[in-house]
Amino acid sequence: MADPDTELEKKLAALRRQFVERYAARRQAIEEAATRVGIDVEAVKILRGECHKIAGTAGTFGFDALGEAASEIEMICDRAVEVGTVLNEKERAEINPLLIVLRKGCD
């Protein structure tokens, strides 16, 4: 009979690999949206949505800094989405260092 701990570790490792593989596409969507968040409300929504997905799962796979940065960006975008505006200059300045963390990705 298979060791349950070993089976669980294999499943978690597979899920982690899947997260890393999907992250590349998410990072590209984040980069594209981040360039337009000062002029396009839809870009703010996209950035918020992608960061929400990352924030909810990154920590599970050991990418705590990635999850925390995504969560902070999500919260900043939440304010703008609630009122239907783009990110102002201050908000864009707040997300810039967080985007650097997201660019590092799953390293």
Side-chain angles (χ1 to χ4, degrees), residues 2-39:
D3 179 4
D5 289 338
T6 303
E7 289 301 313
L8 178 60
E9 289 172 11
K10 286 180 184 178
K11 288 178 183 178
L12 285 173
L15 289 171
R16 187 178 196 275
R17 280 191 303 275
Q18 187 178 33
F19 175 85
V20 171
E21 290 168 3
R22 289 182 179 170
Y23 183 73
R26 291 200 196 295
R27 184 169 52 191
Q28 183 171 344
I30 287 167
E31 288 292 336
E32 290 172 7
T35 64
R36 300 187 333 268
V37 294
I39 58 172

Side-chain angles (χ1 to χ4, degrees), residues 20-87:
V20 171
E21 290 168 3
R22 289 182 179 170
Y23 183 73
R26 291 200 196 295
R27 184 169 52 191
Q28 183 171 344
I30 287 167
E31 288 292 336
E32 290 172 7
T35 64
R36 300 187 333 268
V37 294
I39 58 172
D40 183 358
V41 174
E42 191 60 32
V44 178
K45 291 177 184 177
I46 291 168
L47 181 60
R48 187 221 169 268
E50 292 299 327
C51 285
H52 175 78
K53 293 171 191 170
I54 294 165
T57 56
T60 302
F61 301 114
F63 304 113
D64 295 332
L66 184 66
E68 290 168 13
S71 180
E72 288 185 46
I73 293 172
E74 178 187 5
M75 287 188 290
I76 292 166
C77 290
D78 276 343
R79 295 188 296 259
V81 169
E82 284 176 16
V83 294
T85 64
V86 296
L87 297 187

